[in-house]
Amino acid sequence: MPKTLYDKLWKEHHITTLNSGESLLYIDRHYLHEVTSPQAFEGLAKKDLTPWRLGANIATPDHNVPTERGDSFNMDSIDDEISKIQVVELDKNCNRFGIKQFDITSNNQGIVHVIGPELGYTLPGMTIVCGDSHTSTHGAFGCLAMGIGTSEVEHVLATQSLKVSKLKNMHVRFDGKPQSGVTSKDIVLYLIGKIGTAGGNGHAIEFSGSYIDSISMEARMTICNMAIEAGAKVGLIAPDKTTIEYIKEHSNLEDDLFNRAKDHWKTLVTDKDAAYDKEIHIDISAIKSQVTWGTSPEMVVDFDANIPNPDNAPEEKKKNIQLAKEYMGIGSAEKLTDLKFDKVFIGSCTNSRIEDLREAAQAVKGKHIADTILEAIVVPGSGMVKLQAEAEGLDKIFQNAGFIWRDPGCSMCLGMNPDQLKPYERCASTSNRNFEGRQGNLGRTHLMSPLMAALTAINGTVSNPS
């Protein structure tokens, strides 16, 4: 019977069906960070258990780490006591149980969803989990990758398996050539705007089409990263030549093993006559750069469009639109291009890779941030990205333009470290969520691409990227 890519990955890792109707899946790779692991490790210790397959686990601190560290940094430099405890506990637990960790002093430390592929730990065909919703990022490599809760982190550590229900199949096909200045971030934001944040509920979304075929692994990771914002638990892209070339460059597989694995990876495609439960086809050629205006990723419009008026909205949406506009401090007739910004953040597991930084640097080269911008920061997603960017001189381009160059971490994507918005500050952000208070109490977040964020820093407001 013809199978989708998701069905193939499911079948390869299915252990058994439980009495509850759920299934037990074998997990190939488990990524850990400091926020969702302490209770899981404590549970192991209380039950006198050890990790079932030690080498399957990779850890790094990312959410709580300060991004201004310098050469003299030590754990006492973390001011917030809870953040310090979580980073210290990850260190202790990895040492205690023998888990491979790229700690806060490592040149390979970074956001877990950035370092995994870079260091060759993410390979096509794997099942991958992490106590973080944006684990869907790794689906760009043809992996069944999903976020899990803290109790599930403990279960995977102890058993190398996960209890889970099978998802339905959803197919999103992107065809066409993008307009100048339109990036993968714009494409996925457009999708979320069309289907809503619940559009993919209960589904694994497989992305395909001529646009997907034409883009880099970095761009594919951005799309799969935000599949979770469309309601899906899993985002997938079938491995192809682009995938295999990336793996060849980044993995440590010996030639013989790589060649044998490559033959298998080529089979990880949806069969010709396989059926999806839901299909969406989008011609991307007419899509403009996208910017969110409200407090949900689905509250997104063309960069030059009018912000929705609740008076013209369907009855069931009027209240949410009004509340979002009040929180965001937006008048009834404003366009995004009318808004003045206070801060700019380029980073996060969505857009902190070398390609993202190159794009932003090109936009600001020889220019300077607007006088109205209080702070603009660039946070590489990993130590490797930081070193590569510095080797290319990107750090100097940003600094000459008035940006602050930081150390790796999740940074201003979420308010769990010193990089936070103050009440009512408006931020142009390349992150993935614009929920109320996500970047700091009463902070106002507008999601956009690295290119648009860079231009916003230069002009003080949303601008035409072309």
Side-chain angles (χ1 to χ4, degrees):
M1 184 175 180
K3 292 182 175 62
T4 65
L5 171 58
Y6 174 74
D7 292 336
K8 290 182 178 182
L9 295 171
W10 178 274
K11 183 179 179 182
E12 285 186 358
H13 294 85
H14 187 267
I15 299 171
T16 188
T17 301
L18 306 171
N19 292 335
S20 64
E22 296 171 296
S23 293
L24 203 62
L25 283 190
Y26 183 80
I27 302 302
D28 295 308
R29 178 73 68 213
H30 186 195
Y31 291 119
L32 298 146
H33 58 79
E34 77 276 22
V35 178
T36 53
S37 65
Q39 301 95 323
F41 282 117
E42 184 180 1
L44 284 187
K46 285 182 177 179
K47 295 167 185 154
D48 198 24
L49 296 172
T50 56
W52 182 264
R53 182 171 158 237
L54 204 58
N57 300 282
I58 301 296
T60 193
D62 54 11
H63 284 61
N64 286 322
V65 298
T67 59
E68 290 183 293
R69 298 199 284 272
D71 296 334
S72 61
F73 176 84
N74 57 56
M75 293 297 190
D76 290 333
S77 302
I78 303 176
D79 293 329
D80 184 82
E81 196 60 30
I82 293 176
S83 294
K84 183 190 299 183
I85 289 171
Q86 290 185 331
V87 175
V88 169
E89 285 302 307
L90 179 65
D91 209 42
K92 287 181 179 178
N93 285 318
C94 288
N95 288 332
R96 176 180 183 179
F97 289 98
I99 287 174
K100 176 72 174 178
Q101 183 199 186
F102 298 99
D103 67 24
I104 202 165
T105 65
S106 170
N107 285 334
N108 290 327
Q109 175 271 334
I111 303 173
V112 67
H113 306 310
V114 177
I115 71 165
E118 280 182 350
L119 297 174
Y121 291 109
T122 295
L123 298 173
M126 281 184 162
T127 45
I128 297 177
V129 296
C130 175
D132 184 279
S133 56
H134 292 101
T135 309
S136 56
T137 305
H138 305 270
F141 293 83
C143 298
L144 201 172
M146 52 195 159
I148 58 177
T150 297
S151 61
E152 293 171 312
V153 171
E154 180 186 341
H155 190 273
V156 173
L157 282 168
T159 68
Q160 209 56 47
S161 64
L162 179 68
K163 185 172 68 172
V164 65
S165 297
K166 193 177 183 188
L167 301 168
K168 292 181 179 179
N169 283 280
M170 182 173 175
H171 182 209
V172 175
R173 184 176 179 89
F174 293 127
D175 284 313
K177 185 177 180 180
Q179 296 182 28
S180 174
V182 173
T183 71
S184 59
K185 181 67 165 290
D186 301 300
I187 302 301
V188 73
L189 280 173
Y190 178 87
L191 171 68
I192 296 166
K194 289 301 179 187
I195 70 174
T197 52
N201 280 3
H203 291 78
I205 300 179
E206 181 180 348
F207 300 99
S208 73
S210 62
Y211 174 71
I212 295 295
D213 294 341
S214 71
I215 59 177
S216 66
M217 290 309 301
E218 286 87 351
R220 295 178 188 187
M221 282 187 265
T222 294
I223 288 175
C224 287
N225 175 277
M226 293 197 68
I228 189 74
E229 311 308 338
K233 193 174 180 66
V234 170
L236 285 165
I237 295 174
D240 62 5
K241 182 180 179 181
T242 301
T243 318
I244 291 171
E245 287 177 351
Y246 183 99
I247 296 297
K248 187 174 184 179
E249 178 184 352
H250 291 271
S251 79
N252 297 312
L253 297 177
E254 295 180 0
D255 289 345
D256 180 57
L257 180 56
F258 174 82
N259 289 328
R260 286 188 287 130
K262 182 172 65 174
D263 291 337
H264 174 63
W265 296 338
K266 290 177 180 178
T267 70
L268 298 177
V269 294
T270 293
D271 294 332
K272 183 178 179 181
D273 296 321
Y276 294 93
D277 298 288
K278 188 184 293 187
E279 294 202 53
I280 296 173
H281 184 199
I282 295 176
D283 179 0
I284 68 157
S285 59
I287 296 175
K288 294 183 177 181
S289 293
Q290 303 290 296
V291 179
T292 62
W293 61 267
T295 55
S296 166
E298 70 180 31
M299 293 177 170
V300 63
V301 293
D302 294 350
F303 77 94
D304 57 354
N306 287 326
I307 296 167
N309 187 329
D311 294 338
N312 303 326
E315 195 62 39
E316 67 274 12
K317 292 187 176 182
K318 286 181 185 292
K319 185 176 181 181
N320 283 344
I321 291 175
Q322 185 60 43
L323 289 173
K325 294 185 79 169
E326 289 174 3
Y327 180 87
M328 295 296 290
I330 295 173
S332 60
E334 288 182 286
K335 290 187 174 184
L336 286 165
T337 49
D338 298 326
L339 300 176
K340 301 299 181 184
F341 285 75
D342 303 298
K343 291 187 176 179
V344 174
F345 166 57
I346 297 175
S348 85
C349 62
T350 313
N351 285 125
S352 64
R353 297 173 181 84
I354 190 65
E355 181 180 280
D356 301 311
L357 303 193
R358 286 170 180 157
E359 187 175 67
Q362 186 62 36
V364 305
K365 188 174 183 179
K367 303 180 178 70
H368 199 276
I369 64 173
D371 292 340
T372 53
I373 297 294
L374 303 176
E375 183 180 69
I377 64 174
V378 180
V379 187
S382 72
M384 291 178 68
V385 171
K386 186 172 188 283
L387 290 172
Q388 179 66 37
E390 289 172 350
E392 296 179 15
L394 303 186
D395 59 325
K396 296 294 186 263
I397 292 175
F398 284 119
Q399 289 170 331
N400 290 339
F403 285 80
I404 301 171
W405 182 248
R406 294 288 182 83
D407 292 310
C410 290
S411 186
M412 200 182 282
C413 178
L414 75 174
M416 296 181 71
N417 55 76
D419 301 341
Q420 297 184 29
L421 296 180
K422 294 177 182 177
Y424 310 116
E425 286 185 331
R426 190 178 305 282
C427 182
S429 178
T430 66
S431 52
N432 40 54
R433 288 180 175 163
N434 54 337
F435 305 155
E436 293 184 16
R438 170 79 175 180
Q439 291 189 300
N441 181 39
L442 298 177
R444 294 164 172 168
T445 302
H446 295 267
L447 305 178
M448 59 187 74
S449 71
L451 173 59
M452 184 64 83
L455 292 173
T456 301
I458 298 302
N459 298 311
T461 188
V462 170
S463 309
N464 190 329
S466 63

